[in-house]
Structure formats: C-alpha cells, structure tokens
C-alpha cells in the first residue's frame, strides 16, 4: 500500500468553481487555496507538499498565513501539481494550457521547394497548428520568431516572408526544437542554460516584431507555447542572474500576449496575461514592464481613461534612460489629449520628439522595436487631426507616408491612411478622402487588426455627413469589416 505522500491528489472539478476558491485564486492566497483543497478534497498537508514540491512544514506555514507565495515559477509549480484547469490558472494569473475560442488555419510555413516568394504574400498562411511537442508547425512559428528576433535594425514584411519561406521543418528542428533544448538546459552546464535564455530572449523580441505585420490569430497560440516554455524553465533552479533575465523576458512576452488576446476578443485571457506581466515585473526587478502593459491598455480606451492608463504607465519609467518607451508614451498622451481638445498635446508632442532623438528603439526593449520615424510621424499626424487642424494634417500626413515608404501593409499604415482620409473628407476632398479610406480599410482587413480598424472611426464619422454612392459604399465596407472581424472564425 503506498505511503500517504505518494497517493495522487485528486481534486473534485466543482471545487474550482466554488466562490471561495475564486477568491483565493484572485488574491493569489495559496494558504487559502491549500486549506480549501484539504477541506473539500480530503488531501493531507504531506500529499499537497509532494504534489507541489514543498515540505509538509512549508505547506503548514502557508496554510497558517506565516508565509506567502510571490514567485511566478512557484505559482506555476502549484498549478501544475494540483492539475489546475485553465479557468483557474487564468484567475491565478497564469497562461492557459489549452486555448479556447481561437481557431488557426492548419497550413505550416512553406518549405524551400522552389515555390516562388510571390506565393507567400498571403501571410495568413504562415501560421501554426495545435501545440504538441512534435508538431512541425508549432516549431516553425517559434523558430520564425527566434530568427527575426536576432535581426539588427528594421524588419519589413518582405524580409519576414523571405525568412519564413526558407524555414523547412528540418531546419526549424535543428535551430530551435524547444523540447530538446529545454532538456539540455535543465540537465546541462551553465553555458547551456545561458544559451537557452538568450534564445528565449531573442524569440520574445521576434514575436514583438512579428506583431507589426502578422494577424493576431496567427501569432497567439505560438506565443502561448513560448510562454509555457518560459514557465517550465523558470522552475529549473537557474542561477539568480539567469532567473531574473528569464522573468524579464517572460514579462515582455506576457504584455504582448495580453495585447493580442484583446485584439482577438479574449478578455479573460488578456487579464490573465496582464497578471503574469505584473508578477514577472516584480520578480525580475524590471518595473518598466508595467509601463508597457499600461501603454498597451491605453489603446483599448479613448480620451480620459486612455490618458489615465498612460499616466499610470509613466509612473514605472526610470528617472533616466528607456527613452524609446518614454517617447512612445508621450506621443500616445499627445494624441489622446488632442482628442480631448487639450492644447497641452503640442507640448507632449515636442517632449516625445526630444525623447525619441535620444532613444535607441532597436536596443532598449522588446516592445520598442516598433518605434521608428514612420510611427513618430503617425503620432504627430494623429495629434493634429484630433486637434482639428486639418490643413496641418495634410503636410504631416505626407511626411508620415514618406517615412513609411518602405512599408506595404504594416498595421500602422492603416492608421496613417485613416487619418489622412478623415482630414481630406473634412476639408471636402471627397475623391482623395475615399481613396485613402479604402487603403486604410484594405490594410486593416489584411492584417486582421482590431486596433487598425478602430482608426477608421474618424472616416466613419466624416462619411455620415456625405452623400453619394462612393461614400455609402465605403461606409458599408467598413461596417462589414467590423462585423467580420468580431465574428468567430469557422
């Protein structure tokens, strides 16, 4: 007969649904969680300890409130040991193991088999399937992110597609098979561990870069697989220096996952990833991760609530340095203040310019890779149009398009064309306004970006004041795009 500690922990499914369990998970009160498991599942402290990797005495300390869990990897270990279902994991602030409500086309990255690059122009094909350890599609997406994350400087869509075209299943496995690499990191030397952390950092940067061009649904499951791999390695007993680096890159990945979950209308999962980012920021000693989280959150609102999120983000900036994040937040504040009619927006715009001149976006943070002259020009454009200065908008719009001349269908292109279209429609240039409106709509649809489609709100408002079949046609197309983007994929 097995000893008490060796017996598996079986927790009734309905226990995870109880209100007091929800309270314990929401407050990340592990002592309360253990008490509920003991009370309703009849599990002893010893069996709980064996399941989650604690001594009986440590379990007792948590249950008595003498100790608290704060480390991200410990939360993950407890969730794994208790076989916590995904809704409970998300309430605790961990990534789900199985994604729901998100479908993915099954086509992997095409191999290098003589297929012309022109056939890859539909980037939606560069996607992943189910997250299985031996799934070549999954490895392809992780490898693509790792590859583009190692590039210096700007990466346009064409570069990304050419890289994707060259990734065969064999080359992907040899470059970045995550499960073999994890085994090596867990059992290998300090050099093996450092190499693994460097690869995961590069892959996080890559996912941030891919977000600019790829539809959110194409990235989401691969990004979640990446986060789960990070969680596994965080439990590996790495040296403190590597643990802090790994926690930081986990936070950088989590803020992006939260943003993408919002884009595909998964608010519960977005909130769960936000909590992961908070824990990772604390554990890594990089509070600026919270600045990024609040910065992303500002895009989900408008006006005063957006400004409030931006101000919260700015509280996490260091006194010196991180000028790319500083410039981004100041530019965001400028466009939102302008929408409220606050002329302080022009001061913020100048402060953003000064910060950007001192910034190194390609070197500072994973999320700052998007910030370039084209995006800064787009922020100026948005600010002027929100202030109602349509004449100034035309000049700034041309400057933005010139700065973005190397792009074809980044999500920011949609915002620039939408702002120019709004200004032209307000000035009475119906032909050019509608033409730019169609360009904005096409880009928003191609990138499947909820944010990009939101940028067409000004065009919609301007079109309601216009008569004629061309205006009605564009307005109908925009409304149809809204419905299609919000409709669940088959």
């Amino acid at each position: 007969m097995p000893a008490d500690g060796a017996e598996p922990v079986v927790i009734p499914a309905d226990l995870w649904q109880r209100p007091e369990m929800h309270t314990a998970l929401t407050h990340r009160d592990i002592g309360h969680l253990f008490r509920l498991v003991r009370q309703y599942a009849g599990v002893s402290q010893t069996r709980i300890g064996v399941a989650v990797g604690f001594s009986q005495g440590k379990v007792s300390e948590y249950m008595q409130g003498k100790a608290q869990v704060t480390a991200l990897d410990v939360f993950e270990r407890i969730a794994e040991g208790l076989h916590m279902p995904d809704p409970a994991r998300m309430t605790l602030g961990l990534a789900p193991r199985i994604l729901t409500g998100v479908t993915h086309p099954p086509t992997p990255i095409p191999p290098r088999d003589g297929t012309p690059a022109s056939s890859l122009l539909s980037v939606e094909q560069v996607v992943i399937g189910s997250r299985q350890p031996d799934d070549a599609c999954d490895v392809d997406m992780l490898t693509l992110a790792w590859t583009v994350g190692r590039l210096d400087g700007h990466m346009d869509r064409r570069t990304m597609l050419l890289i994707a075209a060259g990734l065969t299943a064999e080359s992907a496995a040899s470059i970045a098979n995550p499960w073999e690499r994890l085994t090596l990191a867990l059992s290998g030397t300090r050099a093996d561990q450092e190499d693994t952390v460097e690869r995961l950092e590069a892959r996080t940067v890559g996912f941030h870069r891919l977000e600019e061009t790829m539809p959110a649904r194409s990235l989401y499951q691969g990004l979640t697989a990446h986060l789960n791999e990070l969680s596994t390695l965080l439990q590996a007993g790495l040296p403190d220096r590597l643990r802090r680096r790994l926690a930081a890159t986990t936070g950088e990945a989590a803020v992006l996952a939260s943003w993408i979950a919002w884009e595909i209308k998964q608010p519960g999962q977005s909130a769960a990833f936000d909590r992961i980012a908070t824990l990772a920021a604390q554990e890594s000693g990089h509070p600026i991760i919270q600045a990024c989280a609040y910065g992303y959150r500002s895009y989900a609102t408008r006006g005063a609530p957006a400004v409030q999120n931006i101000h919260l983000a700015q509280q996490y900036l260091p006194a010196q340095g991180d000028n790319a994040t500083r410039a981004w937040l100041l530019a965001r504040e400028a466009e939102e203040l302008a929408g409220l009619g606050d002329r302080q927006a022009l001061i913020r715009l100048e402060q953003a310019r000064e910060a950007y001149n001192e910034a190194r976006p390609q070197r500072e943070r994973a999320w700052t890779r998007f910030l370039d002259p084209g995006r800064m020009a787009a922020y100026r454009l948005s600010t002027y149009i929100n202030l109602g200065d349509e004449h100034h908008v035309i000049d700034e719009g041309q400057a933005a398009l010139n700065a973005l001349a190397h792009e074809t269908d980044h999500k920011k292109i949609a915002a620039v064309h939408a702002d120019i279209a709004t200004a032209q429609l307000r000035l009475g240039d119906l032909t050019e306004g509608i033409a730019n409106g169609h360009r904005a709509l096409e880009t928003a649809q191609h990138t499947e970006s909820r944010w990009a489609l939101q940028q067409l709100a000004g065009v919609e408002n301007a079109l309601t004041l216009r008569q004629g079949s061309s205006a009605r046609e564009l307005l109908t197309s925009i409304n149809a795009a809204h419905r299609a983007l919000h409709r669940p994929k088959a």
Side-chain angles (χ1 to χ4, degrees):
M1 185 171 182
D4 176 67
E7 296 177 8
V9 173
V10 179
I11 299 177
D14 60 355
L15 175 55
W16 301 111
Q17 310 298 323
R18 297 186 69 89
E20 54 265 50
M21 177 61 78
H22 186 273
T23 298
L25 294 171
T26 300
H27 292 91
R28 296 195 282 272
D29 187 341
I30 296 304
H32 190 189
L33 168 64
F34 286 167
R35 292 195 298 273
L36 291 171
V37 170
R38 183 174 185 182
Q39 177 181 355
Y40 290 102
V43 181
S44 70
Q45 292 181 358
T46 300
R47 288 170 61 196
I48 292 174
V50 170
V52 302
F54 292 147
S55 67
Q56 179 273 328
K58 194 64 176 179
V59 172
S60 178
E61 287 183 18
Y62 287 129
M63 293 177 71
Q64 294 177 53
K66 295 180 180 179
Q68 296 290 330
V69 175
T70 58
L72 179 62
D73 65 307
V74 178
F75 285 115
E76 183 69 43
R77 194 170 78 221
I78 292 168
E80 288 293 312
L82 298 180
H83 306 291
M84 197 175 289
D86 275 353
R89 288 177 60 89
M90 292 165 61
T91 304
L92 185 60
L94 300 175
R97 288 300 191 192
I98 302 173
L99 300 180
T100 58
V102 184
T103 57
H104 305 270
T107 310
I109 295 172
R112 189 198 302 268
D113 60 358
T115 303
S118 60
S119 69
L120 301 173
L121 294 180
S122 178
V123 77
E124 294 87 338
Q125 294 179 355
V126 187
V127 296
I128 57 174
S130 59
R131 196 187 70 81
Q132 300 295 332
D134 58 349
D135 191 325
C137 298
D138 204 8
V139 174
D140 280 349
M141 178 57 73
L142 296 174
T143 305
L144 177 61
W146 174 74
T147 303
V148 301
R150 295 171 63 244
L151 298 178
D152 289 329
H154 177 79
M155 185 205 73
D156 59 20
R157 180 181 171 87
R158 178 177 175 81
T159 300
M160 185 271 291
L161 286 171
L162 290 174
I163 292 170
L167 291 180
T168 65
E170 291 79 9
S171 66
S174 65
I175 292 172
N177 185 299
W179 313 105
E180 290 183 6
R181 191 173 64 257
L182 271 185
T183 300
L184 181 63
L186 296 177
S187 60
T189 65
R190 182 74 62 86
D192 295 327
Q193 294 173 339
E194 182 139 8
D195 178 68
T196 298
V197 172
E198 288 177 356
R199 285 175 176 271
L200 291 169
E201 288 171 335
R203 196 201 286 163
T204 297
V205 170
F207 273 115
H208 275 272
R209 282 181 156 175
L210 291 174
E211 188 276 334
E212 296 181 55
T213 56
M214 294 185 70
R217 291 177 181 273
S218 298
L219 291 176
Y220 190 49
Q221 193 170 354
L223 182 55
T224 303
H226 174 55
L227 277 163
N228 284 330
E229 187 180 342
L230 288 166
S231 298
T232 300
L233 195 55
L234 275 170
Q235 302 173 54
L238 297 176
D240 285 346
R241 179 180 63 85
L242 292 181
R243 275 187 53 78
R244 287 192 295 271
R245 283 174 55 185
L246 199 63
T249 201
T250 298
E252 292 171 343
V255 292
L256 179 61
S258 177
W259 164 251
I260 291 178
W262 175 82
E263 279 259 85
I264 61 175
K265 298 181 73 64
Q266 297 287 330
Q269 293 184 7
S270 179
F273 287 125
D274 260 343
R275 289 193 287 273
I276 294 174
T278 299
L279 290 170
Q282 295 168 350
E283 187 162 344
S284 67
H286 287 264
I288 195 170
I289 293 170
Q290 288 288 84
C292 179
Y294 280 111
Y296 280 155
R297 212 172 296 171
S298 72
Y299 287 104
T301 56
R302 283 286 187 270
V307 172
Q308 182 180 13
N309 276 317
I310 294 164
H311 288 169
L312 288 170
Q314 290 166 336
Q315 293 178 12
Y316 291 96
L317 287 172
Q320 300 292 331
D322 280 295
N323 288 309
T325 303
R326 194 182 312 276
W328 167 44
L329 294 174
L330 285 167
R332 279 287 297 127
E333 186 180 4
E335 64 179 352
E336 292 297 341
L337 287 175
L340 295 170
D342 189 338
R343 303 293 293 185
Q344 288 286 317
L346 297 176
I347 296 176
R348 297 293 179 271
L349 205 58
E350 177 60 21
Q351 291 172 337
R353 184 191 65 78
E354 293 173 355
Y356 181 75
N357 287 342
E358 299 296 323
R360 300 178 66 198
Q362 297 299 318
R363 291 288 184 271
E364 291 183 18
R365 300 285 172 176
W367 61 79
T368 60
R369 274 27 182 219
F370 80 96
L371 199 63
D372 57 18
R375 180 59 65 92
M376 292 300 294
Y379 282 128
R380 290 195 302 272
L381 171 62
S382 177
T383 299
Y384 281 114
I385 196 167
N386 286 342
L387 287 173
D389 188 350
E390 286 90 357
H391 290 283
H392 204 163
V393 163
I394 300 302
D395 293 336
E396 290 294 340
Q398 189 56 54
L401 289 177
N402 290 341
L404 295 170
H406 61 283
E407 309 289 5
T408 55
D409 50 9
H410 273 49
K411 296 171 185 178
K412 58 192 169 189
I413 291 290
V416 172
H417 281 298
D419 283 340
I420 294 174
T422 301
Q424 289 169 329
L425 290 170
R426 290 178 180 176
L427 289 170
D429 190 346
L430 187 63
T431 301
E432 287 299 315
I434 289 177
N436 275 301
H438 277 294
R439 294 186 187 104
L441 176 59
E442 288 168 5
T443 304
Q445 288 176 307
H446 192 72
T447 57
E448 296 182 10
S449 172
R450 181 179 172 192
W451 167 77
L453 196 56
Q454 283 185 343
Q455 307 311 303
L456 283 156
V459 176
E460 292 179 84
N461 291 335
L463 287 173
T464 59
L465 304 176
R466 298 290 173 181
Q467 302 294 324
S469 59
S470 58
R472 288 193 300 272
E473 179 186 353
L474 178 54
L475 189 58
T476 299
S477 297
I478 294 173
N479 290 333
H482 278 295
R483 291 193 299 272
L485 191 60
H486 293 166
R487 186 184 307 130
K489 295 284 184 178

